[in-house]
Each structure stands twice: as C-alpha cells, then as structure tokens.
Amino acid sequence: MDARRTSTISTGIFTDLNGSWNWTFLMVVLLSFATGSVNAVSNCTLECTASCDPGHSFDVTTSVCVICSTGYYCGGGSNSSEACSAGTYNQNVGSSSIADCVSCPSGSYSLDAAGSCTVCPSGYSCTVTGTTTACIAPEYSLDGEMSCSTCPSGSYCPNVNEGPKSCSNGSIPDSSKTGCDNCLAGTYSNAGDPSCSDCLAGYYSLEGAGVCTVCPTGKVLLDRGTYTSVDGQASCTACTEGYYCDSTSETACDPGKYSSANATSCVKCPQGFSCAGGSAPVDCLAGTYAVLGSSSCEPCSMGHYCPADRSGEQIPCASGNFANETGLVVCFTCRAGYSCSATEETACDPGKYSSANSTSCIKCPEGYSCSGGAAPVDCLAGTFAVLGSSSCEPCSMGHYCPANQSGEQIPCASGDFANETGLVVCFTCRAGYSCSATEETACESGMYSESGATSCLQCPGGYSCTGTLPPVQCLAGTYARNGSSSCEDCEVGFYCETAGTVEPVQCAEGFFSDSPGADSCIECTAGHYCTRTTETPCNASFYSYARATSCLLCDGGFECAGTTAPAECTAGTYARNGSSSCSNCDVGSYCLTNGMSEPTPCPQGSYQGSVGQQACSPCTAGYYCTSTTQTSCDPGTYSLAEATSCDPCPAGFSCAGGAVPVECLAGSYAPVGSDSCEPCGIGLYCPFNGTTQQINCTEGTYANETGSQLCTDCEAGYKCTSPHLSPMICSRGSYSEQGWTECRACVDGEYADALGSTSCTSCTAGHSCSSTSASPQPCTPGKYSTGSAKYCSSCPDGSYSDSSMAASCDLCPAGHACLDTSSAPTACNSGYYSLGNTTMCTLCPAGYECPSTTSSPAQCNAGFYAADGSTSCQSCDVGFYCPEAGLSAQISCEEGKFSNTTMASDCILCPAGWECADRSSTPVACDPGFYSLGGNSSCTVCPAGHMCPTKDQLPTMCNSGEYAAASSQSCTSCPEGKYCADPPPALPADCPTGWFTDTPGRTNCTECPMGEL
C-alpha cells in the first residue's frame, strides 16, 4: 500500500466518525484488495510511512491519524502530539503549531498540556507554571493577583485574602499592621493616617481623638481672653492690660490703639485725640487734628484750617481764600489783581485782570489792551486787539480797521488791496492789472483785465492782446488761438475764410492749398489725385475722377493704359484687377465671355490642355482626370465617367481593375482596395456576405478553425483564456459560469471540492473552511462560526461555548465569571459580584454591600458602613457615627461629643454642666465646685479666688476682701486679724508682726501704733 493511499484511508476514517461506518469499512476492504493486501490490519510501523494532516498525530497502536487534543499541538506526518508548556494553554482541538499555545492571561497559571488556565486564588502568590505560596500577614492578595502585596502605609491587613483597611479617626495601624491602636492624649489622626500628629499650640485632645479642640477665646466681661503659646498645654493664661490675645499668643497694642486687661482686641483711638499706645487719649489743640486711630495730632496742612480743639478733620479754605502755611486757625482773603488757589496767591499775567476774592484771572476783552491787573484800555482806528491782549496792534497789510475798539482786522474786499499797515480803508485795483490783498501787478502779454480784477483773463481766440491794451480782431487769411499776443497767417493745406478766425480750417478731401495766407482751397482735376497741399497725375494700371484723393486700381476684366478710361477684355482672354493689358486663358481653364477678370477652372471630371480656349472636355469612364490630363485607373480601383480620381474597391468587395466590385461571401472578408476576398482566421469570425473585416471572438467564446461564420460560448465549469484555444476545466476551489474567460477562486468561507464546479458552497454554521478546495471542519469548544467563515472565531471575553460545532457563544450569566471561554461559567465568591458578560468577578467596593453575586452593589445608608468585599452593611457602633451614605469605616465621636446608640449619623454635643469622658456613654453631671460650658470631655475645677454657684457658667471672681479655695461654690469674707490681698486668694493670710486688722473683709493690715502690740 503506497503512502498516499494510506493517508487517504486514515483521513477518511477520522472524517466520517459521525457518518457512515459501513461505507468507510467497505472502502478500506476494497482498497486493500485493490493493492494486493490480504492482511486484515496493515502494520504501518513496518510496512508504510504515515502522512497525517497538520493538526493530527499518528497513533501507532491503532494505525490511525487522531485529531490533536486541547493542551497539545500536532505537526502532522508520523509525529506524536506535543504538550503546551506550563504557563501556556490551548483550548482548541486540531492545532498544528506551537503558536497555538497561548500565554495564560495576567492573574492565572497553568501546568503542562493545559487546555485552560486557573485564576490565582486570593491569599496566595502564584507562578505562571503553577507553584502557589501562601501569603504571610500583613501581606495580602486578591483573586487574580500573582504576588503577595505589602500592606500599604496608613492601612492594616487583618486577613491575607482581603484588601487593606483604614483605621477609624483617632487610631492608627499597630506595629504588626494587623490591627489599630488609639492615638495618645495631645495627638490626633484622620482615617487612613499612618501616624498620630501632635495638636498645634492653642489646641488640646484626649486619647483616641480624631481632631484637636481649640482653646476658647473669651469675650470681654463674659469670659476672659486666654491663650497657649506652646503645644500640649492643659490650661490658658489671662491676657495682660495693654495687650490683646488670640488662642496661641499675647500681642502688645499698636500705636493709635489702647486696651484694658483680658482683651481679645485693641480699640482705635477716637477722632480729635492722640494715643501713643495703650494709654488714655490726649486732646488735639486748635490748629491740629487727628483722625480715628491716630498715635499723634497733626498740624493742619496748607489749604486747610483747624479752628478749635479736638478737631477730627481739617477744613478746606473757602473759594477765594488761601492758606500758604500749616497749623492755621483761619484762611487769608485773595487780593484784587491776583488769583488764588487753596495754598497760594498769584499776580495776574499781562492780558488778564481780576477783582478781590478771585480764584482765577479773566482774559482782556476784544478791542481793549490790558497790561496786567489794570482796567482795559480802548484801541484806536487803524489798530485792533483780540481777546486776552496786553496791547493794541496796527492792522496788517491786506486788512483795514475802520473804527475804535476793533476786536479784529477786516480783510480787503476782492479787487481791493492794502500794501501798507495801519490803514482804515483799502485801494481799488486798476484796469490792466491783477490784485492780491497786498499788491497790484500788471497783466502779461496775451492777457487783459477790467478795473477791480483779482486776476488777468486769457486773450480770446481770433484776437491779439499786447498786455494792458484791449483785444484786437484778426483779418481774413490770418488766425489767433486763445491767449495769443499776435495774429498768424494760415498754413499750407488750410484756409482762413473770415476775420476773427480762432483756428485755420483744413482743406476738404479732393481740394488743396499750396501757399500760406489762403482764404479758400482749389478743386483737384480728373486723372490726378490730391493731398491737401499737392496735385499729382495717376500711374499706368490706375485711373481717377475729379476731387480724387487717390487713383483707383484698374477693375478686373479691363485694361488701363494710365490716364485713359478702362477697355473691356474679349472672350478667350481675361485681366485681373490692376492690369494694364488683357491675357490669354491658361491650360486647365477657359474664358467663356467678354470682360472676364479670372479664367474659369475646368469642372471636376473635365480637362483642357490648350491656352485661349472658351470650353473644357469631359473625362472618359475607367479614367480619372486632372484639369489638364486624362489617366487610366489601376487594379484594385475603379471609376465612372467624368471622374477626377479612381476610387478604392469598397470594403467587403473585390475589384480586378476597372470592373464592377464583387461582394465577398460569409466566412470571408475584404478591406478597402482589395482585388480578392480572404477567409477569416482562427479566433475570428465573418458572420455575413460583404464582411469588411474579420471580427474578434468576444471574451468567453472561441473559434478554433479558419473561415468561421460565428464563435462558440465557453461552457460553465470551464475557462476560455483565449478565443483561439479550446476550453480548460476549472480546478478544485474555483468555479465558472457560461462564457467566463477565467475560473474564479471561491472566497473565504466558501468551498468547491470537485473539478469543473459551476458555483461555490457557503460554509455551514459551526464549521470553518480554511481551504476553499476541502470540506468544512467543525468548530472546537470555545469557538464558533455563524456560517460562511474561513476560520472559527474565539468567543469574546464575557462569553463561552463548551461544545463543538457552535454557531454562537453564550453570554456569561450574572453571578459568574468566564475566564476560560471553552468551559462552563464559574460562580462568584461571596463578597464579589458580576452583572454578566464578564471574564472576572468584581470585588464589592467599600461603602457598599453585595448580598447577591448577581446584582449591582447597594450603597450603605447613613448610620452604616462597609469595608471592601462586604455582603452586608454594618451599623455604626456606640461612640461612633456614620454621617453620610457610602462610608468604608465608622468615625469616632470627637472629644466633647457622644453617641450612646448604634446606627448614629451624628454625635451629640456634651451639654453645659456635664462631662463626656466616654464617647459611648450618657453624659455625667459635673461635681459641685466644677463646671463645663458644653462640648467638654471633663469638668473643670473652679479656680481659687473664684466661686462656681452653677455648673454651666464661668467662675465668678470673689469680691475684694474675700477668699475661696479651689472647687468653692461661694466666697467667704476675710476674718478679723487676717487680710486677703487682691486678687482674691484661696485662703486668708496672717498679718505680719506689728501689723493688725480689726474689721473683716480687709485687703491689707494696719501698722500698730508706736508702743502698742
């Protein structure tokens, strides 16, 4: 049995596993007998060489080619299957290349020969080859993470299979990072902080505080101004007189301000007073002032006055008054002849004047002069002054000033002039002169003028002008243009018919003038031609009439000797235009009548070989003629009578020479000018009688003999690449329809597995057709095809197909993950969820609960919280609060607040007169002698020298002469024999030896009189 026949049998057995076993067995038996084999089973290990297709391996035991399994690839031939290496997988059957072994997706691993990858479980680190190692706390890992992660800064990790968690406000991760420790008193932390921070100066805190509490800033007469200047203080210091305090510092009042003791701010110094700094305000004296907050009194500035003591502002001087010194109590009055601003008095400039109390000087009026400060003075006739003038000016040339008090000079009227200054009237311009406003000028030659003219006029045409005299009219035969100083004689070729001519008139055409000064032109005589200045005889071949400007060319059909009249030509002769004599008609032409200007060419089909003739001869049939000769036709051409040429034999006909054309029969042809018909060649056809040229067979037809009258259509399943060749059958994987020149290859997703196919078959759904010449192959699990597919497509992420021959993939259901598209979906773990169509389950986010693996996370309400991966929201514990929805951790109540119920969305402020040391318990009332103002974690002892009759108000200082120990509810009057110095003490003090008190409530002792104890 040859190798090719064995491969066919093996392939047939595999291919038809789901088909007819009887047919396969029959084929094996028949082929065995056909090759001479009598053994029931052939031992291919000894007797043949296996040649399995790629994607198959040869099973030596059964001598059968087996399709390659998942997790393997098979190169074909006699090779066995090769396992995909660890860290890779192959979910397909029938793979033929190591390239079909795909690296596991990130977050998964595999062993050798894997058909799918395994997701690395939470709490472990994994290598791609399958080694798993448990994480060690505080390390952790989640599903799909290949390595253990270190718990990040600011978080704690109680379990190796859960993500990092944040400590609540007031606590930080312990040293092992598996739990949380409370912050110490005097420090605080926010949720997620890696360490506790010290409270800043002016703040304090208790153990486990999430925030520091600001030291209270008191208000005058209600509580005292207090502060702390360093971190970690437990009490506040009273503010000193002359200073103001915030919660962290004591600051001296600035100059211009003052304060009393226990002040939180300094007060601005009042208007009209000065404050050096911290002392009582001092009155400002007259001539000085002080604005609000001044440290000293300032003298009134220039332009102002301060008339009285305690002035809070300076007063501007009234209009027309001024103050050119500082510290004035009254302003000065402005004098006449001066102008005053608020700060100075200035004399008026020349051309101006003023009265007393003026703020500005006034311009001197028109027609007057002002030397400066004095009253205006009238200007005299012949002079003038504009507004603001210091003197009167004489009228300038071209102007006049007719009266006193002139405010402006008057220009001279048109035609008048003034060539001097200080005139009271202008002069009139004389005739023959032109005048500007300032001068009189004589007219130039060729110009003239009338009296009172501003310009000279141009002398009119037909007149001459010498200068200052009137215009003189020109005589007949002369002329003068506009602006002429004299009359000119008329030029040759012109005439001047009347007196006063402006322009000479040119002689009309046919007239001439050959001397100057003419008053008329002469008519041109017949036989001559004239310009406007000359008369000339005509040349031979020309003629003319009277008044001619040129000689005319002799007309055709006539001859002209020169100056005589034209003579007509006789029949047989002709004369062209401009001829001096008539000529005989040329050969090839004729002259039928008298007076011909051109010989007439012989008509087509006629000729004439002699000169001077009156007619031409017609051409004979079988000949062709030029105008002068007659010639016989060549073979392949023919002609009729009166032909000028022999025509080529028409297409589709043959011509022996001069005879009538003969038509060609079908199957033959003849081009133009043929003397015989030719048979049609191979690949060509001649369909009817009289064919003029052979026709190419169209694409898809053929003619393989000569003399064809038509072409044959190419059969379906064949191709006709050339019209002169026989059809060729189409190979497998291609097809053709009737009349095609080529077989077309089946497109991807189709196949044709027989020779001579007339169409391709679409690949069925659930199969692939990687070869267009072979039968379809079924899709393996994890792949699908919808039909007409070259290859099976991998199921997209979030879908799967766990059976072969799938036409589509199923969407991964909600609550499941489909990392391996060839396997059934995997259910999500608790605390994870998926909404379907996904490759991985999603960890439930912090602040949400996931009671179902198939639904979206639900946000926790206010009063609840949830960490990552929670299946339900947890209610906030006592001592904690959850103020908003979606919290990942509960928040510890701030110091001075409490929450004694679960599910609290806010903490309650500890009431005044109570302390809240435990944030999770009910407030405890302050003991007698202690107090709190609200929001306190502990009650404050009433200080010595004070009494606290109530628990919810600030302590009250004892009166002078009283005392009180710490935690007192009332004050006691100092007894006789003792004193209680201010401020009130905790206990009375004994008077020193030699001193005494004889009444209660004393703040000091009295010295004993001399000689007494």
Side-chain angles (χ1 to χ4, degrees), residues 206 897 910 915-924 936-938:
L206 301 178
K897 293 185 177 182
C910 197
E915 66 179 8
C916 297
D918 186 353
R919 303 173 193 182
S920 61
S921 300
T922 302
V924 177
N936 297 101
S937 60
S938 61

Side-chain angles (χ1 to χ4, degrees), residues 27-337:
M27 287 298 294
V28 172
V29 173
L30 291 176
L31 289 172
S32 298
F33 278 106
T35 54
S37 173
V38 295
N39 295 325
V41 176
S42 174
N43 187 348
C44 279
T45 304
L46 302 176
E47 300 175 11
C48 61
T49 301
S51 180
C52 294
D53 290 338
H56 299 75
S57 62
F58 185 69
D59 189 336
V60 178
T61 302
T62 60
S63 300
V64 171
C65 291
V66 181
I67 190 167
C68 213
S69 303
T70 59
Y72 292 84
Y73 65 94
C74 302
S78 60
N79 298 317
S80 60
S81 58
E82 297 287 342
C84 291
S85 60
T88 66
Y89 73 101
N90 181 7
Q91 63 183 0
N92 302 317
V93 297
S95 298
S96 60
S97 169
I98 192 173
D100 295 323
C101 297
V102 183
S103 296
C104 284
S106 176
S108 61
Y109 65 88
S110 72
L111 303 178
D112 291 339
S116 62
C117 297
T118 302
V119 176
C120 188
S122 60
Y124 290 85
S125 65
C126 305
T127 64
V128 294
T129 57
T131 301
T132 59
T133 305
C135 298
I136 300 174
E139 294 179 333
Y140 72 94
S141 72
L142 304 178
D143 285 341
E145 295 181 350
M146 297 295 283
S147 61
C148 298
S149 299
T150 301
C151 199
S153 176
S155 300
Y156 70 100
C157 301
N159 300 308
V160 295
N161 61 348
E162 294 181 0
K165 300 179 182 295
S166 296
C167 292
S168 60
N169 291 344
S171 61
I172 58 173
D174 59 20
S175 58
S176 67
K177 302 189 78 170
T178 58
C180 299
D181 289 338
N182 281 338
C183 289
L184 299 176
T187 65
Y188 73 97
S189 73
N190 294 318
D193 286 349
S195 61
C196 299
S197 301
D198 287 338
C199 289
L200 299 177
Y203 293 80
Y204 70 97
S205 71
L206 301 178
E207 179 183 353
V211 294
C212 296
T213 303
V214 66
C215 188
T217 300
K219 297 180 181 178
V220 179
L221 301 179
L222 295 178
D223 56 2
R224 305 176 67 142
T226 60
Y227 71 98
T228 58
S229 58
V230 294
D231 297 344
Q233 296 300 300
S235 63
C236 299
T237 304
C239 202
T240 308
E241 182 178 3
Y243 291 78
Y244 68 95
C245 297
D246 58 20
S247 62
T248 60
S249 63
E250 180 181 58
T251 306
C253 289
D254 293 332
K257 294 185 178 182
Y258 69 99
S259 72
S260 59
N262 301 324
T264 58
S265 64
C266 298
V267 181
K268 285 185 177 181
C269 195
Q271 290 183 340
F273 294 83
S274 65
C275 298
S279 59
V282 178
D283 291 3
C284 291
L285 300 178
T288 66
Y289 75 99
V291 297
L292 181 68
S294 296
S295 60
S296 62
C297 297
E298 300 292 333
C300 274
S301 58
M302 291 193 302
H304 298 77
Y305 69 103
C306 299
D309 294 343
R310 296 185 180 181
S311 293
E313 60 180 354
Q314 52 186 351
I315 304 172
C317 291
S319 177
N321 294 330
F322 70 97
N324 55 358
E325 304 173 21
T326 61
L328 294 179
V329 297
V330 66
C331 296
F332 304 120
T333 301
C334 193
R335 293 174 292 172

Side-chain angles (χ1 to χ4, degrees), residues 415-496:
D416 291 347
F417 69 98
N419 55 359
E420 303 174 21
T421 62
L423 294 180
V424 295
V425 66
C426 296
F427 306 120
T428 301
C429 194
R430 294 174 292 171
Y433 292 82
S434 63
C435 293
S436 67
T438 59
E439 64 179 346
E440 182 182 54
T441 306
C443 291
E444 296 178 355
S445 180
M447 308 288 284
Y448 76 100
S449 74
E450 302 291 341
S451 175
T454 59
S455 61
C456 297
L457 302 175
Q458 189 180 49
C459 192
Y463 290 80
S464 63
C465 298
T466 58
T468 58
L469 298 178
V472 178
Q473 189 177 44
C474 295
L475 301 176
T478 64
Y479 71 97
R481 296 185 175 92
N482 291 338
S484 297
S485 60
S486 61
C487 297
E488 303 291 336
D489 288 337
C490 267
E491 292 93 346
V492 175
F494 291 82
Y495 70 100
C496 299

Side-chain angles (χ1 to χ4, degrees), residues 544-559:
S544 74
Y545 302 104
R547 298 185 181 182
T549 59
S550 62
C551 296
L552 302 175
L553 188 67
C554 194
D555 295 333
F558 290 83
E559 59 183 3

Side-chain angles (χ1 to χ4, degrees), residues 70 223 277 353 380 401 467 530 638 640 668 672 741 859 888:
T70 59
D223 56 2
Y353 70 100
L380 302 177
C401 299
C530 295
Y638 74 100
L640 302 178
S668 65
V672 174
T741 59
Q859 191 177 45
S888 61

